[in-house]
Amino acid sequence: MNEATRIVAADRPDRSARAAHHDSGFWALTLGSVGVVYGDIGTSPLYAFREALRAAIGNGPITQGAVLGVLSLILWALTLVVTVKYVLLLLRADNHGEGGTLSLTALASRALGRRTMPIVMLGVIGAAMFYGDSVITPAISVLSAVEGLKIVTPAFEHAVLPLTVAILVALFAVQSRGTARVAAFFGPVMVVWFVALAGLGLLHIADDPHIFLAVDPLHGISFVIDHPLIGLATLGLVFLAVTGGEALYADLGHFGPKPIRTAWLGLVFPALVINYFGQGAMVLAHPDTLENPFYRMVPEPFLLPMVILATAATVIASQAVITGAYSITRQAIQLGLIPRLAIRHTSETHSGQIYIPRVNTALLAGVLLLVVTFKTSSHLASAYGIAVTTTMVVDALLAFVVIWKLWGWRPWTAAAVITPFVIIDGTFFVANLLKLLEGAWVPLVFAGIIVLLVVTWQRGSRLLAAKTRHLEIPLETLVQTLTKKPPHIVPGTAVFLTGDPDSAPTALLHNLKHNKVLHQHNVVLTIESADTPRVTEEDRVRITQLSPLFSKVVLRFGFMETPNVPKALAIARKQGWHFDIMSTSFFLSRRLLKPAAQSGMPRWQDNLFIRLAKSASDATDFFQIPTGRVVEVGTQVTV
C-alpha cells in the first residue's frame, strides 16, 4: 500500500463520521421543523374540509361536483401557494439565514438602498396581521380538537368550552418557564399526528374511487365559475387548508431551507392530501358524516386517543404561533417600530427562547375573548383566514422588490413570476372579505390596533427627536469647548447613552451643570439596529476618538438579538479601549413627556404616544446594564 492509499484509507472513517454527524443533524432539524413549522397547517384537517364543503352546498344536498370541486381547490391551493410559492421560491429569499415578513421588509429596503414608507408600511401590516393569526390559531385549533369529545359521547358537549379555556390558560401560564424541555417532544408527536392523518385517509379513500378525479384542477375552476358567489365564499373557507403556510418562511432561521422542504415534501404534504381525499371519499359514500368528517373517520375504539392526540397537536400548533409572536415583537423593538418591552430569556443555551410578559397577557386575553364569544370552531372559521391572506399578499409584493432589485432579475421577469401568486392571494383575500360581518373583522381590528400603535410611536418619536435636536448642542462644539477649558476632572469612565450621536447627550449637559465635573474618559454611546438578524463581533463596535477626554462609540445589534451593552463594550478591548465595568458609570436620561399646546399630532395621538413612552421597559434592564453602575438624570420635554 503506497502513501497516498494509506492517507485515503485513514481518512475514510473521519469522512464517514462527519457525514453521519451531518446526516444526524439534518434529520434532527427536519424532525424539529415538523413539530414547530407545520403545527398550524397540520391541524387544518380538523375543520377546513368540513367548513368549505358546507359553504359549497349551502342548504342543499351533498353532490359529487361540490366534493370534487372543494378537494380540487384544496389540493391546488396547497400545491401553488405553499409548495411553489413558499417552499420552492420564498425560502430562497433569506436575510442572512432568517425569514419572515420583517426579514423580507429589511431585504426589500436594502435592495432599494433605503427605508421607504411604502415598504415599511407593508412590513408593519404583515407583522400586525401575524398578531391576529396568533390570537385566532390557539382558539380555533384547541376548540376544534376538544369538540371531538362530542363524538365520543354527547354527554361531553357542555364540557367542551370549559375544557378549552382550561387548556388555553394552562398553555399561556407555562410560557414564562420556557419551552426548551417540552419542545423536544414536538417533532415526534407531530410525526405521529401526520402518520395518523395519512392512515385515516387511506382507511377511507376507497369509499368512493371517484375522489381521485379531484386531481384535475378543472373541477375546482368549473365549480367557482358555475357558482360565482358560492364559489367565492367557498374559496374563503378552502383557504383554511393553507393557513400556517407562511410559517414555512417565518421559521427559516430556526431550521434552514432544506429540512423544511424535506419535511413538507416527504411527510406533511402527502399526509394532508391523503387525509383530505379520505374525508371527501367518506362524505360521498356516507353524507351524514359531514357533521364532523375528521372524527367520523376514526374507528370507535381509537376515538378518545385520537381526541387526545389532536389536542396535543393543536397545543403544539398554538405554541408555535405564540413563540412566533414573541420573536416578531423582539424584531419590531429592535427595528424601532414599537417601544421597548421587557424580554426574559428562558434558556441559558438558546438565545431564541424568550418570553415577553405583556405580549403573553395580551394574547391570552384575546384568545379567551374569542373562545367565549364564538363558542364553536365553525363560528371561528369565519374569523380565520383574512390575517393570513393579508400576510401572504404582503410577502408576494415584497418578494417582487427583492427578486427584481436584489436578485437582479429583469422587472417583467420578476413580475411574470410573482403576479400569478398575487392574483391567487388577492382572490383568497377578497373571498375572506365576504366573511367580514361573520367574524373576519376580528383580526382586522387586532391588526388595526397594532398598526395604529406603530404609526403613533414612529410619528411621535420623529417629532420628539426633532424637538430634542433643536434644543441640544452639537457634540463637536461641546467637545472643543471642554478641551480648551475643562472643568474639574475625576477618575473613571462615564458612558452617556444617546439616540443622536451628533448632539451632546442631555445627561452629559446636566452632569456638567449640576456636578461641574468631567470624567477622565467620556464615552458618547449610541445603539444602532442593523437590518440583518445578527451582527458579527467584528462589526459590533465602532470607536471614534474625538479628543483626549471624549470618544464616540456605536454598538450595532441585529434585529434578532437582545442588546447586551456591557458584553458588547468588552469587545472594544480588542480595539485598544480598556473597559472596566467596576470603574464605569452609565448616565441615562429619563424624560418626562408632556403634551405641547401645538404639536404635529392630534391631542389624542399625543396622549397615546406619551402613554406608550411611559410603558416602555426601563433602558437599564433592556440593555442589561448593571443597576449599581447607572445614574439617571430626569428631564421634562413637551411633545
Side-chain angles (χ1 to χ4, degrees):
M1 183 184 291
N2 60 30
E3 189 67 23
T5 307
R6 282 198 299 271
I7 292 173
V8 171
D11 191 45
R12 269 183 199 138
D14 293 335
R15 285 184 179 177
S16 61
R18 283 198 300 270
H21 176 73
H22 178 269
D23 289 344
S24 65
F26 167 76
W27 289 113
L29 287 171
T30 303
L31 179 64
S33 71
V34 173
V36 175
V37 177
Y38 296 111
D40 191 356
I41 198 170
T43 53
S44 295
L46 285 164
Y47 48 82
F49 175 75
R50 177 190 70 201
E51 299 304 324
L53 186 56
R54 283 179 178 176
I57 63 174
N59 296 321
I62 295 173
T63 63
Q64 187 181 84
V67 173
L68 294 179
V70 167
L71 282 177
S72 182
L73 291 170
I74 288 176
L75 171 64
W76 287 101
L78 287 169
T79 301
L80 295 175
V81 175
V82 182
T83 307
V84 179
K85 178 186 172 184
Y86 279 99
V87 174
L88 299 180
L89 182 64
L90 279 186
L91 283 184
R92 301 175 185 273
D94 68 292
N95 184 7
H96 295 270
E98 294 291 341
T101 301
L102 288 182
S103 287
L104 200 57
T105 303
L107 276 177
S109 298
R110 191 188 312 157
L112 295 173
R114 66 190 187 284
R115 277 193 188 184
T116 62
M117 186 54 66
I119 295 296
V120 171
M121 282 310 300
L122 277 175
V124 168
I125 291 169
M129 284 297 182
F130 183 85
Y131 285 106
D133 184 25
S134 301
V135 173
I136 299 175
T137 294
I140 191 172
S141 299
V142 176
L143 196 53
S144 62
V146 178
E147 282 172 348
L149 290 174
K150 294 188 293 185
I151 308 297
V152 177
T153 171
F156 282 131
E157 184 170 356
H158 297 294
V160 169
L161 208 59
L163 186 56
T164 300
V165 169
I167 291 171
L168 290 169
V169 169
L171 173 63
F172 281 92
V174 301
Q175 294 302 313
S176 60
R177 300 182 182 181
T179 58
R181 293 179 182 176
V182 295
F185 297 100
F186 287 2
V189 170
M190 291 307 295
V191 167
V192 172
W193 170 253
F194 284 114
V195 170
L197 288 184
L200 291 175
L202 290 172
L203 199 62
H204 290 276
I205 207 164
D207 287 1
D208 192 327
H210 292 99
I211 206 68
F212 291 105
L213 295 174
V215 173
D216 185 353
L218 291 177
H219 282 285
I221 295 170
S222 61
F223 177 80
V224 174
I225 293 174
D226 294 341
H227 312 85
L229 291 178
I230 293 176
L232 197 59
T234 303
L235 273 175
L237 292 162
V238 162
F239 190 77
L240 294 173
V242 297
T243 52
E246 76 287 358
L248 289 165
Y249 184 46
D251 288 309
L252 174 60
H254 293 259
F255 302 101
K258 192 174 179 182
I260 292 175
R261 287 194 187 105
T262 303
W264 173 254
L265 296 172
L267 174 65
V268 179
F269 185 36
L272 290 174
V273 171
I274 292 169
N275 188 270
Y276 283 124
F277 273 50
Q279 289 190 47
M282 184 187 66
V283 168
L284 278 177
H286 310 285
D288 58 305
T289 58
L290 182 57
E291 173 205 354
N292 197 321
F294 179 81
Y295 281 116
R296 290 296 184 189
M297 298 173 77
V298 184
E300 192 170 341
F302 299 99
L303 193 52
L304 188 58
M306 196 63 196
V307 172
I308 296 171
L309 178 61
T311 304
T314 55
V315 167
I316 291 171
S318 303
Q319 180 62 59
V321 295
I322 292 168
T323 53
Y326 296 157
S327 178
I328 206 168
T329 300
R330 179 168 68 174
Q331 293 180 40
I333 292 170
Q334 286 295 86
L335 292 171
L337 299 177
I338 58 175
R340 295 187 302 265
L341 298 177
I343 299 175
R344 298 180 192 171
H345 289 265
T346 58
S347 172
E348 294 181 0
T349 55
H350 296 90
S351 62
Q353 294 280 341
I354 59 173
Y355 167 68
I356 305 179
R358 292 185 193 175
V359 173
N360 194 66
T361 303
L363 289 179
L364 175 59
V367 169
L368 293 182
L369 183 62
L370 287 182
V371 170
V372 173
T373 303
F374 287 88
K375 293 183 172 60
T376 69
S377 60
S378 290
H379 293 154
L380 259 174
S382 298
Y384 211 13
I386 191 73
V388 182
T389 53
T390 307
T391 301
M392 287 185 171
V393 170
V394 167
D395 286 349
L397 294 174
L398 292 173
F400 168 72
V401 177
V402 171
I403 292 172
W404 171 30
K405 288 289 188 180
L406 201 63
W407 294 2
W409 290 27
R410 294 179 179 179
W412 51 85
T413 308
V417 170
I418 291 298
T419 300
F421 298 118
V422 173
I423 292 172
I424 294 170
D425 295 337
T427 304
F428 278 125
F429 177 77
V430 172
N432 276 279
L433 280 180
L434 294 178
K435 300 180 292 181
L436 194 61
L437 298 179
E438 299 174 33
W441 57 270
V442 172
L444 294 179
V445 169
F446 278 115
I449 292 171
I450 299 296
V451 171
L452 174 63
L453 294 177
V454 170
V455 169
T456 299
W457 181 252
Q458 291 282 286
R459 193 176 178 188
S461 298
R462 283 196 300 269
L463 290 172
L464 181 60
K467 186 166 289 189
T468 305
R469 194 179 298 114
H470 178 72
L471 298 173
E472 287 179 343
I473 303 169
L475 180 61
E476 289 190 6
T477 302
L478 181 66
V479 169
Q480 291 173 5
T481 302
L482 294 175
T483 302
K484 293 177 183 176
K485 192 178 179 181
H488 180 66
I489 305 295
V490 295
T493 300
V495 177
F496 299 92
L497 266 73
T498 178
D500 182 7
D502 297 322
S503 300
T506 305
L508 171 59
L509 297 175
H510 278 259
N511 187 48
L512 289 169
K513 179 181 178 181
H514 296 290
N515 297 327
K516 297 180 174 57
V517 296
L518 195 65
H519 283 73
Q520 190 177 6
H521 303 288
N522 298 275
V523 177
V524 178
L525 176 64
T526 306
I527 298 172
E528 292 182 353
S529 292
D531 63 353
T532 55
R534 291 172 183 82
V535 173
T536 62
E537 279 199 7
E538 291 76 17
D539 297 326
R540 177 82 70 203
V541 183
R542 189 168 66 248
I543 302 175
T544 305
Q545 194 70 36
L546 301 177
S547 75
L549 292 173
F550 280 90
S551 58
K552 192 180 339 185
V553 174
V554 176
L555 300 181
R556 299 181 75 244
F557 295 93
F559 59 76
M560 289 291 288
E561 296 178 298
T562 301
N564 187 320
V565 168
K567 191 174 180 180
L569 288 177
I571 298 173
R573 291 172 181 164
K574 297 177 182 178
Q575 300 185 25
W577 181 36
H578 301 290
F579 171 72
D580 180 14
I581 189 70
M582 299 310 297
S583 63
T584 301
S585 297
F586 291 85
F587 288 80
L588 279 70
S589 296
R590 182 177 287 276
R591 292 181 293 199
L592 178 63
L593 302 181
K594 295 286 185 182
Q598 290 184 341
S599 126
M601 296 190 296
R603 176 56 64 94
W604 66 267
Q605 202 168 23
D606 266 342
N607 291 326
L608 178 58
F609 174 72
I610 291 170
R611 288 188 179 185
L612 287 173
K614 286 180 179 178
S615 71
S617 176
D618 187 72
T620 304
D621 296 331
F622 186 79
F623 295 122
Q624 303 183 55
I625 304 171
T627 53
R629 311 305 310 171
V630 174
V631 178
E632 290 191 344
V633 180
T635 58
Q636 184 170 303
V637 182
T638 57
V639 61

